[in-house]
Each structure stands twice: as C-alpha cells, then as structure tokens.
Amino acid sequence: MTDKAPVTVYFDGACPLCAREIGFYRRRRGASNIVWIDVANSGDDDIAPDLSGTAARARFHVRTPAGALVDGGAAFAHLWSALPAFRWAGLIFRIAPLRWCLDRLYHGFLRFRPWLQQLAARSAKDCGC
C-alpha cells in the first residue's frame, strides 16, 4: 500500500443492490487498500463529522485520499480510480463534463432505487441467496 491515505467507501449493506455491487468491488484486485464502511445500522448518528447516517444511506459517498467527501457520480469515479481494473473509468469520469453526466445517471437511478431494491430482495429470496 502507498503512504497516502486510502479511499474510504460508505455503503448501505442493508440495500440488496448496494450489497451486491460493493461485494463485486471488494473481490477486485486493490480492494484491500480501500476502507469499506457499512452504514446500514448507523441510525441518524454521524458516520463522520460531515456525514450523517441518513445522508450516507440515501446516496453513495466516498472520502478521497485528500480527505474530501464526495457523493454520487464523483464518488464512483474515485472508487473506480482506486481499483486497478477500473482506473481508466475513474480517470475518465473525473473529467467535469463526464462526471456531470455520470451524476445525472446516478440521480436517475436513485428515483428507481426503491423499486429495484424490492426486486433484488425478491430475487435473492427466490434463489435462496
């Protein structure tokens, strides 16, 4: 590991979609250099001085190696930058116009997230996962 601070990922482990996606990333090379924080049972208490449990469960957040807290599309870009197989995507989507597009896509996804969570939970129940 390098001497710079690691990327910290805040995720909702109670969300079946989030748990699957984070599980995918955690199996990738380089994931052991990332700090993974499951905020599912945090209540409304602060996860960090600038992040409440409510906010952490509502949107995807990442703390960058520089200490900045980012969310949405920017958070994905920083996560991807920390994983060798996705570094190219992280670098591309950290470019302002592309980051904006990614953030708009993520915002659209959030509108359908409750429905997709129910679908994923049913799917996991049906397969015995």
Side-chain angles (χ1 to χ4, degrees):
M1 189 158 133
T2 65
D3 56 353
K4 70 178 185 176
V7 166
T8 301
V9 173
Y10 302 93
F11 68 96
D12 183 357
C15 164
L17 294 172
C18 304
R20 285 182 186 179
E21 183 172 12
I22 293 301
F24 170 80
Y25 291 130
R26 290 181 88 164
R27 292 187 300 273
R28 306 284 72 87
R29 187 170 56 89
S32 61
N33 297 329
I34 297 172
V35 176
W36 303 93
I37 299 178
D38 185 349
V39 300
N41 298 315
S42 63
D44 292 332
D45 298 334
D46 286 346
I47 306 297
D50 52 353
L51 181 62
S52 71
T54 301
R57 287 186 305 278
R59 271 179 85 81
F60 184 62
H61 289 78
V62 165
R63 184 159 318 274
T64 70
L69 184 67
V70 295
D71 65 3
F76 281 101
H78 281 279
L79 168 58
W80 295 336
S81 292
L83 296 169
F86 296 94
R87 188 160 288 134
W88 64 271
L91 294 173
I92 289 171
F93 284 105
R94 285 169 71 179
I95 298 169
L98 296 175
R99 183 181 59 236
W100 181 87
C101 291
L102 182 61
D103 202 50
R104 297 289 58 102
L105 288 170
Y106 180 69
H107 183 74
F109 159 79
L110 289 177
R111 298 175 123 197
F112 294 99
R113 181 180 174 202
W115 178 77
L116 292 170
Q117 285 174 317
Q118 291 174 349
L119 188 64
R122 258 185 280 153
S123 173
K125 184 179 175 185
D126 291 344
C127 79
C129 302

Short mmCIF file of all heavy atoms in Angstrom, two decimals, residues 5 8 25 28 56 67-68 72-73 75 87 90 111 115 120 124 126:
data_model
loop_
_atom_site.label_atom_id
_atom_site.label_comp_id
_atom_site.label_asym_id
_atom_site.label_seq_id
_atom_site.Cartn_x
_atom_site.Cartn_y
_atom_site.Cartn_z
N ALA A 5 -3.28 8.39 2.15
CA ALA A 5 -4.48 7.89 2.80
C ALA A 5 -5.30 7.07 1.81
O ALA A 5 -5.32 7.36 0.62
CB ALA A 5 -5.32 9.07 3.32
N THR A 8 -12.03 5.83 1.26
CA THR A 8 -13.00 5.25 2.18
C THR A 8 -14.35 5.24 1.50
O THR A 8 -14.81 6.28 1.02
CB THR A 8 -13.08 6.05 3.50
OG1 THR A 8 -11.79 6.07 4.11
CG2 THR A 8 -14.08 5.43 4.46
N TYR A 25 -17.06 -5.12 -6.07
CA TYR A 25 -15.85 -4.31 -5.98
C TYR A 25 -14.86 -4.87 -4.95
O TYR A 25 -13.65 -4.83 -5.16
CB TYR A 25 -16.19 -2.85 -5.63
CG TYR A 25 -16.90 -2.12 -6.73
CD1 TYR A 25 -18.07 -1.41 -6.47
CD2 TYR A 25 -16.41 -2.11 -8.03
CE1 TYR A 25 -18.72 -0.72 -7.48
CE2 TYR A 25 -17.07 -1.43 -9.05
CZ TYR A 25 -18.22 -0.74 -8.76
OH TYR A 25 -18.87 -0.06 -9.77
N ARG A 28 -12.31 -7.36 -6.19
CA ARG A 28 -11.36 -6.91 -7.20
C ARG A 28 -9.98 -6.67 -6.59
O ARG A 28 -9.86 -6.33 -5.41
CB ARG A 28 -11.83 -5.61 -7.87
CG ARG A 28 -13.24 -5.66 -8.46
CD ARG A 28 -13.40 -6.41 -9.76
NE ARG A 28 -13.31 -7.82 -9.79
CZ ARG A 28 -14.30 -8.70 -9.59
NH1 ARG A 28 -15.50 -8.32 -9.24
NH2 ARG A 28 -14.08 -10.00 -9.71
N ALA A 56 -25.74 9.13 4.36
CA ALA A 56 -24.91 8.03 3.86
C ALA A 56 -25.76 6.91 3.27
O ALA A 56 -25.33 6.25 2.32
CB ALA A 56 -24.03 7.48 4.99
N GLY A 67 -9.03 13.65 1.62
CA GLY A 67 -9.92 13.93 2.73
C GLY A 67 -11.25 14.55 2.35
O GLY A 67 -12.09 14.78 3.22
N ALA A 68 -11.48 14.82 1.07
CA ALA A 68 -12.75 15.40 0.64
C ALA A 68 -13.83 14.32 0.61
O ALA A 68 -13.58 13.19 0.21
CB ALA A 68 -12.60 16.01 -0.75
N GLY A 72 -22.40 10.56 -5.13
CA GLY A 72 -22.93 10.37 -6.47
C GLY A 72 -21.88 9.93 -7.47
O GLY A 72 -21.02 9.10 -7.18
N GLY A 73 -21.94 10.52 -8.66
CA GLY A 73 -21.03 10.15 -9.74
C GLY A 73 -19.58 10.35 -9.39
O GLY A 73 -18.72 9.54 -9.73
N ALA A 75 -18.26 10.09 -6.49
CA ALA A 75 -17.86 9.01 -5.57
C ALA A 75 -17.51 7.75 -6.35
O ALA A 75 -16.51 7.09 -6.04
CB ALA A 75 -19.00 8.73 -4.58
N ARG A 87 -9.46 1.75 -13.10
CA ARG A 87 -8.77 3.04 -13.00
C ARG A 87 -9.05 3.92 -14.22
O ARG A 87 -9.28 5.12 -14.11
CB ARG A 87 -7.27 2.83 -12.83
CG ARG A 87 -6.54 4.13 -12.54
CD ARG A 87 -5.20 3.90 -11.90
NE ARG A 87 -5.42 3.46 -10.53
CZ ARG A 87 -4.78 2.43 -9.98
NH1 ARG A 87 -3.87 1.75 -10.65
NH2 ARG A 87 -5.04 2.07 -8.74
N GLY A 90 -12.36 5.54 -13.79
CA GLY A 90 -12.27 6.57 -12.76
C GLY A 90 -11.64 7.84 -13.29
O GLY A 90 -12.11 8.95 -13.00
N ARG A 111 -34.05 7.47 -8.36
CA ARG A 111 -35.52 7.54 -8.45
C ARG A 111 -36.13 6.13 -8.50
O ARG A 111 -37.24 5.92 -8.04
CB ARG A 111 -35.94 8.33 -9.66
CG ARG A 111 -35.46 9.75 -9.62
CD ARG A 111 -35.80 10.47 -10.88
NE ARG A 111 -36.60 11.62 -10.48
CZ ARG A 111 -37.36 12.30 -11.28
NH1 ARG A 111 -37.46 11.94 -12.54
NH2 ARG A 111 -38.03 13.33 -10.84
N TRP A 115 -37.75 0.64 -5.95
CA TRP A 115 -38.36 -0.45 -6.73
C TRP A 115 -37.33 -1.53 -7.04
O TRP A 115 -37.61 -2.72 -6.93
CB TRP A 115 -38.97 0.12 -8.01
CG TRP A 115 -39.58 -0.92 -8.88
CD1 TRP A 115 -40.79 -1.53 -8.71
CD2 TRP A 115 -38.99 -1.50 -10.04
NE1 TRP A 115 -41.00 -2.45 -9.71
CE2 TRP A 115 -39.90 -2.45 -10.55
CE3 TRP A 115 -37.80 -1.30 -10.72
CZ2 TRP A 115 -39.64 -3.21 -11.68
CZ3 TRP A 115 -37.55 -2.05 -11.86
CH2 TRP A 115 -38.46 -2.98 -12.32
N ALA A 120 -34.62 -6.82 -6.23
CA ALA A 120 -33.40 -7.55 -5.87
C ALA A 120 -33.63 -8.40 -4.63
O ALA A 120 -33.15 -9.54 -4.55
CB ALA A 120 -32.25 -6.58 -5.64
N ALA A 124 -33.27 -12.44 -4.57
CA ALA A 124 -32.38 -13.13 -3.63
C ALA A 124 -33.16 -14.15 -2.81
O ALA A 124 -32.66 -15.26 -2.56
CB ALA A 124 -31.70 -12.13 -2.71
N ASP A 126 -35.92 -15.72 -3.75
CA ASP A 126 -36.32 -16.81 -4.66
C ASP A 126 -35.18 -17.78 -4.93
O ASP A 126 -35.39 -18.97 -5.09
CB ASP A 126 -36.86 -16.26 -5.98
CG ASP A 126 -38.20 -15.55 -5.80
OD1 ASP A 126 -38.85 -15.74 -4.74
OD2 ASP A 126 -38.59 -14.81 -6.72
#
